[in-house]
């Protein structure tokens, strides 16, 4: 059995979620800076009511956007990180807490190793069916291709587990 770390595959699997979180955090920081500078400095009397109201609304928007960013992270990213991917004799097992889904080797068409920071990121392409979508509530699949995770060092252990006898194409790192 070979165990893959999912956290190293995050940018490829959850890029959209991270972009959304970054946008919401940037909006919140901008709102807090703007509101704080206005509320501490004051302004002309005739603009006071409108701008103070806007400043307080901006603080509320900043707080809400931070809460949304935290909720998105907690719902979609953390469950994916807390799970694990194992390559076994039966197939590719995606685990999260007490749930597990197995992609049988017979359904796998291709397994690719992509060199990444001292190890290899692995991607799978299915011959039949799709990768499980709801293991750990993360956006792991629902398509014919998905990133499985990262393994430190050479791709030899994963190549040894792959099943070329079943017609699976294994693409190791380009040498």
């Amino acid at each position: 059995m070979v165990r893959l770390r999912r956290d190293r595959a995050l940018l490829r699997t959850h890029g959209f979620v991270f972009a959304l979180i970054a946008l919401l955090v940037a909006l919140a920081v901008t709102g807090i800076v703007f509101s704080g500078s206005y509320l501490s400095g004051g302004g002309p009397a005739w603009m006071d009511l409108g701008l103070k109201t806007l400043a307080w609304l901006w603080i509320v928007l900043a707080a809400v956007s931070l809460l949304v960013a935290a909720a998105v992270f907690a719902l979609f990213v953390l469950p994916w990180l807390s799970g694990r991917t194992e390559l076994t004799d039966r197939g590719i097992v995606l685990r999260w807490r007490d749930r597990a889904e197995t992609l049988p080797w017979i359904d796998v068409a291709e397994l690719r190793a992509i060199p990444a920071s001292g190890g290899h990121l692995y991607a799978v392409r299915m011959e039949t069916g799709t990768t499980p979508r709801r293991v750990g509530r993360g956006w792991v699949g629902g398509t014919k291709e998905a990133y499985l995770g990262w393994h430190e060092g050479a791709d030899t252990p994963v190549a040894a587990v792959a099943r070329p006898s079943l017609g699976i194409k294994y693409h190791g790192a380009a040498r």
Side-chain angles (χ1 to χ4, degrees), residues 79 93-101 134-138:
V93 182
L94 300 172
R95 294 189 188 278
W96 183 68
R97 292 187 182 169
D98 60 342
R99 295 191 316 187
E101 288 233 15
R134 302 308 286 176
V135 173
R137 292 183 306 187

Side-chain angles (χ1 to χ4, degrees), residues 26-118:
L27 185 62
V29 168
T30 303
I32 290 169
V33 168
F34 167 73
S35 300
S37 66
Y38 176 75
L39 290 174
S40 65
W46 60 274
M47 290 182 142
D48 228 12
L49 180 61
L51 289 178
K52 277 198 177 180
T53 303
L54 181 63
W56 282 110
L57 285 175
W58 199 268
I59 287 176
V60 169
L61 177 65
V64 168
S65 53
L66 281 176
L67 286 173
V68 168
V72 166
F73 189 78
L75 286 174
F76 294 109
V77 179
L78 284 181
W80 169 254
L81 283 177
S82 63
R84 63 188 186 278
T85 302
E86 297 168 355
L87 305 178
T88 67
D89 291 339
R90 297 183 320 259
I92 300 167
V93 182
L94 300 172
R95 294 189 188 278
W96 183 68
R97 292 187 182 169
D98 60 342
R99 295 191 316 187
E101 288 233 15
T102 301
L103 308 174
W105 285 117
I106 198 77
D107 293 342
V108 176
E110 178 184 5
L111 191 61
R112 283 189 322 274
I114 304 159
S117 64

Side-chain angles (χ1 to χ4, degrees), residues 13-33:
T13 57
H14 289 78
F16 174 74
V17 175
F18 283 128
L20 178 64
I21 290 171
L23 176 71
L24 292 173
V25 168
L27 185 62
V29 168
T30 303
I32 290 169
V33 168

Side-chain angles (χ1 to χ4, degrees), residues 5 8-9 12 114-121 150-153:
R5 288 180 53 188
R8 299 299 288 265
R12 304 229 180 178
I114 304 159
S117 64
H120 293 84
L121 181 64
W150 182 84
H151 190 265
E152 185 176 357

